[in-house]
């Protein structure tokens, strides 16, 4: 059986790249190729420098394969949505550092890893109807809110790019 995450996505050398190349999602999620660059972002104490390092990281679109950078350039949806759970939005969550383990136990979660900045998690969820990504997002927002977790509202865009990351123990 094919891995649900073994799908084609768009890969951008950095977030300002206009025309992406094709990549495989599972490879981007599990590679160590960007480890040193991601760890440099996480260990940088100067906020301005940290942001600059992060914007230089490659990015990809978990929800689809695109010929450009906008939603209207979608070639093929992946049937996946990626949501972000940032520490700054979830200060009320006890045991935030162990949240990845809890998220991994949810039956609808296909992948969970630490974000490039190191202060959050990203979660990939298969969705039944890619054309209704916004409705799926709102449903996930409701589910996570019931658990006391706030998800980043900007994750409702099918063309949203996410930075490559590194997590030695993703779910």
């Amino acid at each position: 059986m094919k891995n649900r995450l073994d799908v084609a996505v768009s890969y951008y050398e950095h977030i300002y790249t206009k025309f992406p190349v094709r990549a495989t999602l599972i490879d981007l999620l599990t590679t160590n190729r960007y480890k040193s660059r991601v760890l440099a972002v996480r260990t940088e104490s100067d906020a301005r420098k940290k942001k600059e390092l992060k914007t230089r990281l490659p990015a990809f679109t978990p929800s689809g394969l695109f010929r450009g950078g906008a939603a209207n350039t979608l070639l093929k949806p992946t049937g996946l949505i990626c949501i972000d759970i940032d520490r700054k939005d979830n200060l009320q969550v006890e045991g935030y550092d162990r949240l990845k383990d809890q998220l991994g136990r949810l039956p609808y979660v296909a992948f969970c890893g630490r974000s490039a900045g190191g202060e959050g998690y990203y979660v990939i969820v298969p969705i039944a109807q890619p054309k209704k990504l916004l409705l799926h997002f709102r449903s996930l927002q409701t589910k996570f809110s019931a658990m006391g977790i706030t998800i980043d509202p900007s994750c409702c865009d099918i063309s949203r790019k996410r930075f490559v990351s590194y997590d030695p123990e993703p779910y």
Side-chain angles (χ1 to χ4, degrees):
M1 181 176 177
K2 184 178 176 183
N3 183 318
R4 183 66 185 91
L5 302 172
D6 188 10
V7 294
V9 295
S10 293
Y11 172 87
Y12 303 79
E13 193 59 41
H14 52 76
I15 59 168
Y16 305 110
T17 301
K18 295 194 185 284
F19 301 103
V21 296
R22 184 185 190 114
T24 303
L25 180 60
I26 191 69
D27 294 342
L28 292 169
L29 297 175
T30 59
T31 186
N32 291 333
R33 181 177 175 196
Y34 308 103
K35 177 181 177 180
S36 63
R37 292 173 66 186
V38 170
L39 294 179
V41 171
R42 291 181 185 163
T43 57
E44 179 55 59
S45 57
D46 181 277
R48 185 184 54 77
K49 289 179 184 175
K50 184 175 186 138
K51 184 176 181 180
E52 183 180 326
L53 287 171
K54 189 175 174 183
T55 59
R56 291 182 184 175
L57 288 172
F60 59 97
T61 51
S63 294
L65 180 63
F66 296 81
R67 69 176 174 275
N72 65 354
T73 66
L74 177 67
L75 296 171
K76 183 178 182 185
T78 61
L80 300 167
I81 187 171
C82 185
I83 58 172
D84 290 336
I85 301 170
D86 300 318
R87 182 185 297 270
K88 66 179 173 49
D89 298 329
N90 289 282
L91 298 175
Q92 76 287 355
V93 175
E94 286 186 39
Y96 184 85
D97 293 329
R98 297 182 310 277
L99 188 58
K100 180 173 63 171
D101 297 329
Q102 296 170 357
L103 296 170
R105 288 193 289 267
L106 297 173
Y108 47 87
V109 170
F111 185 92
C112 181
R114 222 169 143 202
S115 66
E119 292 294 318
Y121 301 102
Y122 64 102
V123 178
I124 297 178
V125 178
I127 57 176
Q129 299 177 40
K131 289 183 179 182
K132 296 184 178 182
L133 187 125
L134 181 58
L135 291 176
H136 286 285
F137 173 79
R138 288 185 181 145
S139 175
L140 287 169
Q141 229 178 2
T142 300
K143 285 181 181 186
F144 279 82
S145 180
M147 293 184 275
I149 299 170
T150 301
I151 60 176
D152 185 333
S154 64
C155 297
C156 64
D157 177 4
I158 194 166
S159 63
R160 185 165 192 265
K161 295 173 189 77
R162 97 152 290 98
F163 293 108
V164 295
S165 191
Y166 168 74
D167 188 332
E169 298 178 341
Y171 166 79

